[in-house]
Structure formats: C-alpha cells, structure tokens
Amino acid sequence: MKENILKNCLCLIYPAAVLIYTLNLFFEGVRPGILLTAVLILGVVCIFLLRFVTLKTNEDRLFAAYFIFNMLSGIWCVFYGIPVSVYLGEVSTTALPMLMYYAGRGFTDKESSRFYQTYIASALFMGLLGVLLYIWAPQFYLDFSYDNYFISVADVETSRVRMNSVIGSGALAVFLTYGVCLSIVFIRDDSKKKKAAGTVTLILSVLLAFMANQRSAMFSIILMLVFFNVVDYFIYKDKPKKLLWMELLAAGVFIAGLFIFARGVFEKFYARLASIPSGFGERSESWVAAVNDMHNIFLGDGLGSRGHRAAVFQHYIVADGGLVKLYTEMGVIGTSLIIFLLFLVYKKSLKNIGAVVGEIAVITCAVLMSVGSNVLEMELCAPIVYFCLGRAVKKIS
C-alpha cells in the first residue's frame, strides 16, 4: 500500500505542475518555480523511500558520477565569484530533475505507461489551454503574458505571433515535442484502444507544438516522425509497406492543402524552419566568447555559472545553447561523462531499438533542441528526459 502511494505521487508530478502554472494565471501570489521545486523534492523523497537509487550497471555509475560532479561543481562555481544563490537556483532547475532518472530505473512497464499517460495528458492540457487563450486573448491574459515576458506588447496581435499558453512558447513547444515522442509508445502497444489513443495524442501534440512556433521543436518533430517510420520499416518487417506510403501521401496532402488553403500559415512555418541556419550564426559569437572566457576547461566554471541567473556576474553567459552551456559549466570532465553515458545508451539501444524508440526519441530531441535552447534547465520539461534516460537504461540492461 505504502509503495503504491509513493509511486502514485511520482505519477502526479506533471498534473501537479500543470495545476500550479494554471493557478498562476489567476492568482498573483502563486510562485510556480518554488512550488514546482517543492513538488520535485517530494518526488525525490519518494524515489529514495522506494529505494530506486541503484549502481548496478555502467550506465548507472556514469550517471551517478555525472550528477555528483554537477553538485561538487558548486565549490569552484563560488570560488570563481558566482554567488551561492545562483548555484542553488540552478540546482533546483537543472540538477534536481536529474534524479527522475531513478524513477525511470525503478518503474515497471505498467507504472511507466501510467507515468507517460499523465505526462501526455498534462502536455495536451497545457496546449489546449493555450489554444483557448490564443483565440480568446482576454486582457487579463495579455497582461499576464506581458508581465511574464512572453510578449513585448500587451495586445492581441503580438500575443498571436506564437502560442504561449501559461508557460511561454519555448517551454510549451518542448513540453509537446516530448509528448509526440511518447505517443509512439502507445501506438506500438498491442491494445487497439491504446493504439488509437496514441495516434490521436501524436496528431494533437504535433499540431499544438507547431502553434508554439519554435523552430528547434518543429525540426525535431519532423525528424522524429521520419525516425519512427524508419524504425518501422527496418524493425517491423511484417508491417505492410503500403501503410508507409499512405502516411507519406497523407503528409503530402496535408502540406499541399496548407499551401493552397492557408498560404499564410504555410509561409510562417516555412520561414521559421528556413531560418535555422541563420540562428546558429546569430548565437555562435556568444558561444565562442563564453568558451574563451572559461576559467578552467577541464572542470568548467561550475553549475549555473553561465546561465541566465549569472548574467549580472559574468561578462558572457549562454542564454541559448544548452550544449555549450553544459561544456562551459562542466568542462571536459563533466561533458565527457554525459557523452560516454549517451554513447553507451545509443549503442545498446540499437540491438533492440523497437523496445526503446519512445525513450530514445525523447533523449534525442532533448539533445537536438539543446543545440539552440537551454531545454535541460527548464524545470518543467527536464524531469521527463531523465525519466526516459533511466527507463532506456532499464530496458537495455
């Protein structure tokens, strides 16, 4: 009984997070960051009470070493002149979600399925709430968006450039992108009911994610849809190939229809995707400057030292570029640990990719979007990535 209660608490992390952010729209006193940190701390307590922490595999040991290195980096982070408060703030948003790795390691197939269901439901709720607010655009929501820096001017036209919901377009796009990835878990289920539900949630997640109009998310989703079909083609050889052609035809018809009947929408998405190369050029200068400004290339400058909280204390921060931020904060040693861990996970997953396709998709999207965005410091979106990493390790072990 006690064990079930603790596991249910873990499965309620994302519904609780969605509730917190929704309440923030109506009540000024709600502090989403603090409350979400409290929820994650409760989740970590449940993980330890369930004795999910393990060092059984090489992947477990590498992950533990990486997490400990992140925590110890606070020592030289402060030594290099960054306040303790900056480091502790980064611990809550970046390091704390890492411990969800052990929930993924400890959950059974059935429990993981329930966790994924609550995650997808939470992501879709946030997306559908965004649609309602996008269409309705009441003044109190425009003021809320302006106060939270989602928009620069509190008017309807500006609010409809991107769909923000109550978490901002960046977090919303990431939230829904992972929902696309996890929907494939249910599409591959033996139950026809779950297959149908997975198909519906995948389509909804794609449409809602594109409304957030974030190019890294759109690119990742397109790549993952191709990836899913490649896996089907090579792994499920008994699957009728005509289904693949039907999917390609449906995609072509949808794109053609969008081009003919909603040219403005088509051009908007196309322009965003076409601007991806220029996005690298816009940010590369700040990336190079931050790397050249590092105090120690081997240890890095410490967790949080190059994040937005350190803007007042650093000449150069990495506001958009999670991979560069990771390197400047963790150095060669910390970066090597996580790269080697991912290398082992990908290598072993190739032997049974059909079993871990959803988890690998989430991890891959996190890496891809981290090229141009700091997605792993989004406290709302990071826990599912580490859960999927732990889940993938359990499946390949």
Side-chain angles (χ1 to χ4, degrees):
M1 177 65 75
K2 177 183 175 183
E3 184 176 314
N4 289 333
I5 292 174
L6 295 173
K7 290 177 179 178
N8 286 334
C9 286
L10 286 170
C11 288
L12 290 174
I13 284 177
Y14 274 103
V18 165
L19 177 62
I20 290 169
Y21 278 96
T22 304
L23 289 175
N24 184 44
L25 174 62
F26 302 102
F27 303 101
E28 292 184 3
V30 175
R31 301 289 296 277
I34 294 174
L35 291 175
L36 183 54
T37 297
V39 169
L40 288 176
I41 290 174
L42 177 61
V44 170
V45 170
C46 292
I47 288 169
F48 279 95
L49 290 176
L50 289 165
R51 299 180 181 180
F52 280 166
V53 178
T54 178
L55 295 172
K56 291 181 180 179
T57 67
N58 288 331
E59 292 81 9
D60 293 333
R61 290 185 278 272
L62 279 169
F63 179 82
Y66 176 67
F67 177 77
I68 292 170
F69 189 85
N70 271 264
M71 299 304 292
L72 290 177
S73 71
I75 297 172
W76 49 92
C77 178
V78 175
F79 177 78
Y80 291 137
I82 304 300
V84 176
S85 59
V86 172
Y87 163 73
L88 292 177
E90 198 74 12
V91 167
S92 68
T93 57
T94 302
L96 188 60
M98 292 181 188
L99 293 172
M100 286 300 292
Y101 169 91
Y102 295 107
R105 285 288 281 120
F107 270 16
T108 63
D109 291 348
K110 185 177 180 179
E111 291 158 356
S112 296
S113 178
R114 189 162 75 248
F115 187 85
Y116 290 158
Q117 286 173 346
T118 58
Y119 176 86
I120 294 172
S122 300
L124 289 178
F125 175 84
M126 197 61 74
L128 293 172
L129 177 62
V131 172
L132 174 64
L133 295 170
Y134 183 91
I135 296 171
W136 181 22
Q139 189 58 48
F140 75 87
Y141 174 65
L142 299 178
D143 295 335
F144 169 84
S145 299
Y146 178 79
D147 292 340
N148 285 276
Y149 306 103
F150 298 160
I151 55 178
S152 56
V153 181
D155 61 23
V156 175
E157 185 178 352
T158 306
S159 72
R160 287 177 177 165
V161 173
R162 297 175 181 174
M163 188 171 75
N164 293 290
S165 190
V166 292
I167 56 177
S169 62
L172 180 64
V174 175
F175 206 10
L176 288 162
T177 297
Y178 298 151
V180 173
C181 298
L182 294 175
S183 293
I184 204 68
V185 174
F186 299 100
I187 291 175
R188 283 181 164 76
D189 196 277
D190 293 332
S191 167
K192 290 184 178 180
K193 185 177 180 180
K194 288 187 177 181
K195 283 180 184 290
T199 302
V200 171
T201 59
L202 185 142
I203 294 171
L204 283 175
S205 296
V206 170
L207 294 175
L208 293 171
F210 269 65
M211 288 186 69
N213 199 20
Q214 291 289 338
R215 53 193 173 190
S216 62
M218 291 190 286
F219 174 76
S220 297
I221 287 172
I222 292 170
L223 197 62
M224 287 306 104
L225 292 177
V226 173
F227 171 62
F228 297 151
N229 280 288
V230 169
V231 170
D232 279 356
Y233 188 86
F234 288 102
I235 302 300
Y236 300 101
K237 297 185 183 297
D238 57 337
K239 182 177 179 179
K241 298 300 181 285
K242 66 178 182 180
L243 292 178
L244 176 61
W245 292 109
M246 288 173 64
E247 290 176 15
L248 291 173
L249 179 62
V253 169
F254 175 77
I255 294 172
L258 198 63
F259 180 79
I260 296 170
F261 300 107
R263 180 71 65 87
V265 175
F266 176 86
E267 291 177 348
K268 180 179 180 180
F269 289 145
Y270 178 78
R272 288 294 289 166
L273 289 169
S275 68
I276 289 176
S278 63
F280 291 118
E282 294 167 1
R283 295 165 180 170
S284 59
E285 186 176 341
S286 64
W287 294 345
V288 172
V291 170
N292 290 336
D293 194 50
M294 289 173 64
H295 293 89
N296 191 313
I297 63 170
F298 294 102
L299 294 176
D301 291 350
L303 185 64
S305 62
R306 297 289 169 176
H308 67 277
R309 293 185 180 88
V312 180
F313 311 100
Q314 290 279 29
H315 291 298
Y316 304 103
I317 63 168
V318 184
D320 296 295
L323 299 183
V324 177
K325 178 178 180 292
L326 188 152
Y327 174 71
T328 54
E329 293 183 350
M330 295 295 106
V332 173
I333 296 174
T335 305
S336 297
L337 287 171
I338 191 64
I339 288 176
F340 191 38
L341 170 59
L342 291 177
F343 171 76
L344 289 180
V345 171
Y346 278 110
K347 180 183 177 182
K348 293 183 179 181
S349 295
L350 288 175
K351 298 177 181 178
N352 191 15
I353 189 65
V356 292
V357 64
E359 289 80 9
I360 290 299
V362 169
I363 296 166
T364 303
C365 283
V367 173
L368 289 173
M369 291 187 289
S370 289
V371 174
S373 304
N374 297 353
V375 299
L376 291 178
E377 71 170 5
M378 294 179 180
E379 193 174 13
L380 177 66
C381 303
I384 188 64
V385 178
Y386 292 105
F387 182 93
C388 287
L389 181 60
R391 184 74 186 140
V393 170
K394 181 168 185 175
K395 287 183 176 182
I396 64 177
S397 299

